Amino acid sequence: MATAGRKRGRKKKKKMKTMTKKITKLTKKFKATLQLRHQHCTKLIPHLIAAISSAHSFLLRHDLHLLPHQSLSLESLISSSSSSISNIVSLLSLPPPPPRAAPPPRTAVTSPSDDDPLPGCWFQRFLIADSDTLWAETFNLTEPSFTLLLRLLTPSLSSLSVPPNYALALTLYRLAHGASFSAVSRRFGIDSPTACRVFYTVCKAITENLGHLFELKSDINRVIVGFGWISLPNCCGVLGIEKFELGGDLLGENGFLIVQALVDSEGRFLDVSAGWPSTMRPETVLRKSKLYLGVEESKEYLNGSSFELNDGNSIPQYILGDSCFPLLPWVLTPYRGESNKEDGAEMAFNSVHRRGMQLVGTAFGRVRGKWKLLARKWNEQCIEAFPFVIVTCCLLHNFLIKCSEAVTDETEEYPRFEEFPVFDGEVDESGKKIRDALASHLFRNHLEFRK
């Protein structure tokens, strides 16, 4: 027994010795491979640094000739590549790469002169270039519209440490291209915290000075005439819902903010209520909104005279509402569960209603397309500011229509959410009668048109 045990012990020792030799051999081979790769990386890194430096020099020389999204993309790639190189150098324990050449010094932002407010920065060179095409590509509006907007906002921007034209241009650039504060700060010769303060100050000035462009109360006759051309008598707008994504888990994994908007026949925003959490139902949003209070309590909205139909019925001022809203005497939603598919009047109303609701989607599509900052998924730290920015973009949308700026439908696709469930609460009888009267009117018009 003892002899057998010694034999097994010798075999184990021999096996361990063999394994140790194999491990030692593999370790040497691995070290040799690592050393070889280290040498290759060491040789490649200077070339990579040179390429990044060349790309950076190209960007500085040609930034005015590149489209904003091109320069922002190139800038982002250069930044991420530089970070990657630094990480590799750190892992290989190499000397740090030489820093890129610093940009030329600039005059302090707090004391600009009239002739040369911030010499050397990108926007100063942009102004010298003086190109109509550059204005539209860079700020999503023409220079005359920029000048008019600047004149309206300048009194509200006097507290800023940068010139008003720089402040407005910075804000429009960030809104138009979704640029980060660090990106706009480099272009306008200021630091990121200052860029942040400037941005929100200008947004505040826009909401305060352009708020009259929500014309539900001030120009309701124009709105009614506009819908009259599409066979909707006494209609004062189309009410819908849009959702904006949020990062983080403050409102759940797929949380979003709700924006309720009333739109006219030209795609202008008449009323915007933004910032409601996704946990809230649309009918609750409606009842808490300024629009609802203005109709139901203060009576300052939709208080005009009724419209006499050809059959003797009359309909008060009203708006078309999405199916997620309750049917009210002034919010006419489509026929759904109670609809009779054989009823031509109901079909006529639903057909016109669908076309009307498209106005809301089109308006929001144009706003998202033109002001791409809204297409970003905002993090929960900025949740209080985001509704403020949404209203700013809606007012800018109205301002550009007022200035007769060309409106183009954006072709870029944005993620669409599922529709809200159809409202399944109690049906308002008065609202039902008004909707039936309007549906009969639309059906008669449809029959007349076919003759």
Side-chain angles (χ1 to χ4, degrees):
M1 291 293 292
T3 303
R6 286 195 294 271
K7 286 183 178 179
R8 284 197 297 270
R10 286 195 293 269
K11 285 182 179 179
K12 285 183 179 180
K13 288 181 180 180
K14 187 176 180 181
K15 190 174 182 180
M16 287 291 295
K17 190 175 181 180
T18 303
M19 289 178 64
T20 302
K21 287 182 179 179
K22 287 183 178 180
I23 291 173
T24 302
K25 186 177 180 181
L26 288 172
T27 302
K28 289 181 179 179
K29 187 176 180 181
F30 179 69
K31 287 182 177 179
T33 303
L34 280 181
Q35 187 175 6
L36 185 61
R37 290 182 178 179
H38 185 284
Q39 292 172 352
H40 282 311
C41 288
T42 303
K43 291 178 181 178
L44 285 174
I45 284 174
H47 297 289
L48 291 173
I49 294 173
I52 293 171
S53 179
S54 296
H56 184 252
S57 299
F58 173 86
L59 179 61
L60 292 178
R61 289 195 306 270
H62 301 285
D63 53 0
L64 288 178
H65 304 290
L66 297 172
L67 294 174
H69 75 272
Q70 293 173 329
S71 63
L72 286 168
S73 296
L74 182 55
E75 191 174 273
S76 177
L77 285 171
I78 290 172
S79 177
S80 61
S81 298
S82 297
S83 298
S84 298
I85 291 295
S86 297
N87 290 335
I88 293 173
V89 168
S90 177
L91 289 172
L92 295 176
S93 301
L94 297 175
R100 291 197 302 264
R106 300 184 177 113
T107 302
V109 178
T110 53
S111 57
S113 67
D114 292 334
D115 296 330
D116 192 18
L118 299 173
C121 75
W122 169 86
F123 186 57
Q124 179 63 27
R125 290 183 282 114
F126 175 92
L127 292 175
I128 295 172
D130 193 23
S131 167
D132 291 338
T133 303
L134 279 179
W135 278 95
E137 291 175 346
T138 306
F139 302 113
N140 279 346
L141 79 177
T142 61
E143 186 177 5
S145 295
F146 181 93
T147 303
L148 173 59
L149 184 58
L150 179 64
R151 187 161 64 246
L152 294 172
L153 301 182
T154 293
S156 302
L157 305 179
S158 58
S159 63
L160 291 174
S161 59
V162 300
N165 62 331
Y166 275 66
L168 178 57
L170 179 153
T171 301
L172 293 175
Y173 190 94
R174 174 165 160 77
L175 290 173
H177 307 292
S180 64
F181 285 120
S182 60
V184 293
S185 67
R186 285 190 290 271
R187 285 163 173 76
F188 291 87
I190 58 178
D191 56 57
S192 292
T194 302
C196 181
R197 288 193 295 272
V198 166
F199 176 77
Y200 287 113
T201 300
V202 174
C203 286
K204 182 174 184 289
I206 290 173
T207 58
E208 291 177 347
N209 290 276
L210 300 186
H212 63 280
L213 295 180
F214 290 151
E215 299 175 340
L216 176 59
K217 185 178 179 181
S218 61
D219 203 7
I220 193 62
N221 290 330
R222 175 192 63 79
V223 176
I224 291 174
V225 169
F227 281 105
W229 284 105
I230 56 176
S231 302
L232 281 170
N234 228 17
C235 182
C236 299
V238 182
L239 187 69
I241 288 279
E242 186 76 356
K243 306 174 185 178
F244 290 84
E245 286 186 285
L246 287 176
D249 55 2
L250 183 64
L251 296 178
E253 184 178 353
N254 298 312
F256 53 85
L257 287 182
I258 298 173
V259 179
Q260 174 186 284
L262 185 68
V263 174
D264 71 6
S265 60
E266 299 177 61
R268 304 178 196 229
F269 291 93
L270 301 174
D271 181 83
V272 176
S273 184
W276 303 98
S278 54
T279 52
M280 192 174 288
R281 296 187 300 178
E283 61 265 29
T284 305
V285 172
L286 172 62
R287 295 184 191 280
K288 288 180 175 291
S289 67
K290 181 183 176 182
L291 174 65
Y292 185 90
L293 298 177
V295 175
E296 295 285 353
E297 295 187 10
S298 66
K299 309 296 182 183
E300 61 178 316
Y301 300 142
L302 309 186
N303 56 7
S305 58
S306 297
F307 182 86
E308 297 294 327
L309 300 175
N310 294 335
D311 61 359
N313 289 316
S314 64
I315 53 174
Q317 292 183 345
Y318 65 92
I319 61 179
L320 296 182
D322 203 349
S323 58
C324 58
F325 293 120
L327 175 66
L328 300 172
W330 55 277
V331 181
L332 303 186
T333 58
Y335 292 94
R336 286 300 174 115
E338 73 275 21
S339 177
N340 180 358
K341 294 184 178 180
E342 301 297 325
D343 192 316
E346 294 183 2
M347 293 176 63
F349 178 85
N350 279 1
S351 177
V352 172
H353 187 280
R354 279 193 299 272
R355 294 201 299 273
M357 292 310 304
Q358 289 173 358
L359 294 169
V360 180
T362 299
F364 271 118
R366 288 170 175 169
V367 167
R368 285 181 182 268
K370 185 170 285 290
W371 309 113
K372 290 185 170 55
L373 185 64
L374 297 184
R376 288 176 46 179
K377 183 181 288 190
W378 282 54
N379 60 46
E380 56 191 40
Q381 288 77 18
C382 302
I383 190 171
E384 292 184 4
F386 193 30
F388 187 60
V389 175
I390 294 171
V391 174
T392 297
C393 292
C394 291
L395 285 170
L396 287 172
H397 171 83
N398 285 7
F399 174 78
L400 294 181
I401 293 177
K402 201 82 169 178
C403 292
S404 300
E405 292 266 354
V407 177
T408 56
D409 289 324
E410 301 293 335
T411 57
E412 186 169 354
E413 290 291 330
Y414 292 99
R416 304 299 299 176
F417 293 84
E418 293 182 4
E419 294 184 359
F420 280 101
V422 176
F423 177 76
D424 59 356
E426 186 177 347
V427 175
D428 184 283
E429 289 301 321
S430 178
K432 189 174 184 302
K433 290 178 181 178
I434 294 169
R435 183 177 63 180
D436 289 345
L438 180 58
S440 297
H441 170 77
L442 294 173
F443 184 57
R444 286 194 302 273
N445 284 354
H446 174 71
L447 293 178
E448 288 293 328
F449 179 77
R450 293 183 62 182
K451 288 183 179 180

